[in-house]
Amino acid sequence: MERFVDVAPGVRLWAQDHGAPDASPLLLIMGAQASGLGWPDELVELLAARHRVIRYDHRDTGRSTWAFDERPYPLTALAEDAVAVLDAFGVERAHIAGMSLGGMLAQLLVADRPERLLSATVFGTRALSSLPYTAPDGTRVPPDRLPGVAPALLELWSRPVEDRGPEAELERRVEHWRALGGDVLPFDADRTRALERRIIEHTGHHRAGDAHARADYSGMDRTEQLAGTRVPTLVVSALAEPVFPPPHSEHLAQAIRGARLVEIPGMGHALPREVHAPLAAAILEHTARA
């Protein structure tokens, strides 16, 4: 069922749930500038076998309000939006899963709103913690010294994004996902193109958003709260990850008290069909434990 959620004056979010209404709720939190439809239907259906799965469009994505220039916000507001979505669906406590920026927002919820969570799963992200990473040999590495974004992806991001029409934008997105997916699993351009075409139709325009890149990133450190949390947390490790490459996932698991780490072979910073079954299995096993 689809609905719109008012989260601030003049700001509405599109949201949708799948699965049995009385099943344990699972909120999916997407990454920066990504529509909730970025969670593929096939993955949602696998998760909906055991959960009432809720996905939604962040502000300035999809069918939600695009108004950053008129109503700027810090990224922390996007975590508050997630709570508002739970409220709109009448959910007191939920499992959450966050990818990329969504993984950061999930950490904010683990730190700030643990009473609303049953469990958390995070991947494709970095720790909101200043705790050093402890390498297998015992070396302690400050977070800002961990490996950065792959050079090829940085070069792609450095190119200006120009509006050359919907088909050109579609191809730009396909090539972006090709780079994000890493170099292990095969890339299905046709499948990616079909999903992005659907997202453009869902959104109602093909403009490329940049609000989340311009939003205020300050005030997101949660070192102490993550180190002391009791929210059961799963960290998914993706060795082909080009945005937050290893050992970011290991650092994340060290920063969050009691976190478990599981690897999805071949996974990068994307959700191709090859990872749907193992990722769903990992999430469902984790939510069952919680």
Side-chain angles (χ1 to χ4, degrees):
M1 179 176 64
E2 297 182 5
R3 67 179 66 185
F4 284 91
V5 181
D6 293 314
V7 297
V11 180
R12 311 186 83 187
L13 306 184
W14 172 88
Q16 180 186 61
D17 66 342
H18 296 263
D22 59 347
S24 181
L26 169 61
L27 180 70
L28 303 180
I29 309 175
M30 240 303 146
Q33 297 304 152
S35 163
L37 295 189
W39 295 100
D41 288 348
E42 299 88 346
L43 176 59
V44 170
E45 291 304 318
L46 289 172
L47 297 171
R50 293 243 302 271
H51 292 286
R52 180 190 184 191
V53 181
I54 302 170
R55 58 182 173 178
Y56 67 101
D57 291 339
H58 294 297
R59 306 184 194 198
D60 295 283
T61 73
R63 292 175 64 191
S64 294
T65 301
W66 290 55
F68 183 81
D69 290 333
E70 296 78 28
R71 303 178 185 89
Y73 48 83
L75 281 183
T76 52
L78 299 184
E80 298 167 8
D81 288 351
V83 175
V85 170
L86 294 181
D87 290 341
F89 281 92
V91 174
E92 181 178 352
R93 299 181 72 200
H95 302 280
I96 62 172
M99 171 180 174
S100 193
L101 172 63
M104 297 181 195
L105 301 179
Q107 292 177 70
L108 291 177
L109 295 175
V110 167
D112 301 342
R113 302 304 297 270
E115 76 282 359
R116 301 301 298 269
L117 305 186
L118 295 169
S119 76
T121 299
V122 295
F123 55 96
T125 193
R126 65 172 178 84
L128 300 184
S129 173
S130 59
L131 183 77
Y133 163 64
T134 302
D137 64 0
T139 303
R140 290 170 65 81
V141 183
D144 60 2
R145 299 295 299 275
L146 294 177
V149 179
L153 195 53
L154 283 176
E155 192 280 327
L156 186 63
W157 288 350
S158 71
R159 302 176 191 172
V161 178
E162 301 176 356
D163 187 348
R164 297 175 179 170
E167 291 304 313
E169 171 61 17
L170 188 62
E171 293 309 310
R172 185 193 70 81
R173 296 185 190 190
V174 170
E175 291 311 304
H176 188 209
W177 282 115
R178 186 191 300 275
L180 288 171
D183 56 5
V184 176
L185 297 177
F187 179 69
D188 190 333
D190 291 339
R191 193 179 186 90
T192 304
R193 187 175 294 106
L195 176 57
E196 286 300 325
R197 190 180 299 279
R198 180 184 171 203
I199 290 172
I200 288 173
E201 292 171 352
H202 165 77
T203 303
H205 61 79
H206 67 276
R207 296 194 307 275
D210 64 354
H212 299 165
R214 293 189 287 137
D216 182 2
Y217 268 73
S218 66
M220 294 182 67
D221 184 276
R222 296 293 187 276
T223 302
E224 294 183 6
Q225 296 93 325
L226 295 176
T229 187
R230 293 187 178 276
V231 176
T233 303
L234 175 69
V235 177
V236 175
S237 173
L239 298 186
E241 166 70 55
V243 181
F244 298 106
H248 277 279
S249 54
E250 288 80 0
H251 177 230
L252 188 54
Q254 292 174 5
I256 302 175
R257 180 179 183 269
R260 296 190 304 115
L261 187 68
V262 62
E263 179 188 339
I264 304 296
M267 186 173 175
H269 198 84
L271 297 172
R273 58 184 170 182
E274 290 85 358
V275 309
H276 294 173
L279 179 59
I283 293 173
L284 292 176
E285 192 273 340
H286 177 60
T287 59
R289 280 174 175 245

